[in-house]
């Protein structure tokens, strides 16, 4: 069986106390869906905010003094937001998994359209360097194109389209959790956080 899930790279939660988060290995992946617990939603929002926690040097207003406002400042004020992650493809029959590589962003899911509708080829980060190639009516997914002995996953294009659509629904379901979570834990910033998270993940209709 082959499945595709949207996954977010997690930042280390050690010492984080602005809201409840789960214990997680740094730089591991959290699967995003509508089934996450409130603490898992908090972990995802923390990781997305941490990805964009940088000093304002582009004309943005100065960082607030309070810890919550300071941590959220990049997420709420930057035009170009970034979240590490992408799509995880698992082949449970053969025990193979394709993961997004380093520097791959959640909003780069649009590159999959090149595989099914465009040039027929797309890559998704490095270390590892996953590669997707269309070969007629099938798609070959290479787990790490830098390795001559890399495992591969193959599936029909029709099946890939279906799985990609399901992954998008899972992401949308996740963003539907963010609003209620934010209203409870960061009520003064709830609407802005909800819109920024949806924009970072390139989920339509939730901004």
């Amino acid at each position: 069986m082959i499945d595709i899930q949207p996954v977010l790279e997690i930042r280390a939660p050690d010492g984080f106390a602005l809201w409840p988060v789960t214990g997680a290995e740094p730089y591991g992946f959290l699967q995003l869906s509508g089934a996450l617990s409130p603490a898992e939603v908090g972990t995802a929002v923390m990781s997305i905010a941490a990805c964009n926690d940088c000093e304002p040097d582009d004309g943005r207003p100065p960082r607030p003094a309070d810890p919550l406002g300071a941590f959220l400042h990049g997420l709420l004020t930057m035009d170009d937001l970034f979240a590490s992650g992408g799509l995880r493809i698992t082949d449970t029959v053969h025990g193979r998994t394709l993961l997004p590589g380093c520097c791959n962003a959640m909003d780069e899911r649009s590159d999959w359209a090149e595989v099914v509708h465009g040039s027929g080829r797309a890559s998704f980060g490095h270390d590892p360097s996953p590669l997707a190639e269309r070969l007629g009516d099938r798609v070959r997914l290479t787990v790490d194109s830098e390795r001559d002995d890399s495992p591969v996953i193959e599936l029909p294009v029709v099946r890939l389209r279906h799985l990609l659509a399901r992954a998008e629904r899972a992401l949308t379901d996740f963003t539907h959790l963010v609003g209620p979570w934010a209203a409870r834990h960061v009520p003064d910033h709830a609407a802005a956080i909800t819109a920024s998270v949806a924009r970072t993940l390139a989920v339509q209709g939730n901004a």
Side-chain angles (χ1 to χ4, degrees):
M1 177 180 176
I2 296 174
D3 197 13
I4 297 180
Q5 306 104 10
V7 292
L8 176 72
E9 187 177 272
I10 297 303
R11 296 299 179 98
D14 295 344
F16 185 83
L18 295 176
W19 57 74
V21 295
T22 60
E25 289 293 325
Y27 306 110
F29 289 103
L30 174 66
Q31 180 179 337
L32 301 183
S33 74
L36 267 59
S37 69
E40 288 172 325
V41 175
T43 301
V45 175
M46 178 270 293
S47 297
I48 294 170
C51 270
N52 298 281
D53 184 18
C54 55
E55 290 300 324
D57 59 359
D58 52 4
R60 291 183 291 132
R63 187 189 294 268
D66 67 286
L68 178 60
F71 180 66
L72 294 173
H73 189 60
L75 178 64
L76 300 184
T77 62
M78 289 176 61
D79 291 329
D80 297 321
L81 296 170
F82 176 84
S84 299
L87 297 178
R88 177 175 63 199
I89 297 92
T90 55
D91 179 347
T92 58
V93 173
H94 298 98
R96 298 167 184 171
T97 301
L98 181 147
L99 291 169
C102 179
C103 300
N104 194 74
M106 293 294 298
D107 63 0
E108 292 182 69
R109 299 186 315 281
S110 59
D111 290 352
W112 284 96
E114 286 297 312
V115 180
V116 295
H117 300 298
S119 67
R121 182 183 175 93
S123 58
F124 303 93
H126 58 87
D127 298 323
S129 300
L131 175 68
E133 302 171 283
R134 180 165 178 173
L135 305 171
D137 61 356
R138 297 185 66 80
V139 173
R140 175 182 294 164
L141 309 174
T142 303
V143 172
D144 187 354
S145 60
E146 296 298 315
R147 289 175 46 191
D148 292 336
D149 61 346
S150 173
V152 298
I153 300 170
E154 293 195 10
L155 72 165
V157 174
V158 172
R159 177 63 176 162
L160 177 62
R161 290 194 186 107
H162 170 75
L163 292 173
L164 291 174
R166 192 166 71 178
E168 289 300 315
R169 290 194 295 272
L171 266 178
T172 298
D173 290 345
F174 164 74
T175 62
H176 290 163
L177 299 177
V178 175
W181 173 89
R184 178 177 180 182
H185 294 284
V186 283
D188 292 342
H189 304 282
I193 287 175
T194 303
S196 292
V197 167
R199 185 159 62 89
T200 309
L201 299 178
V203 173
Q204 301 300 316
N206 289 272

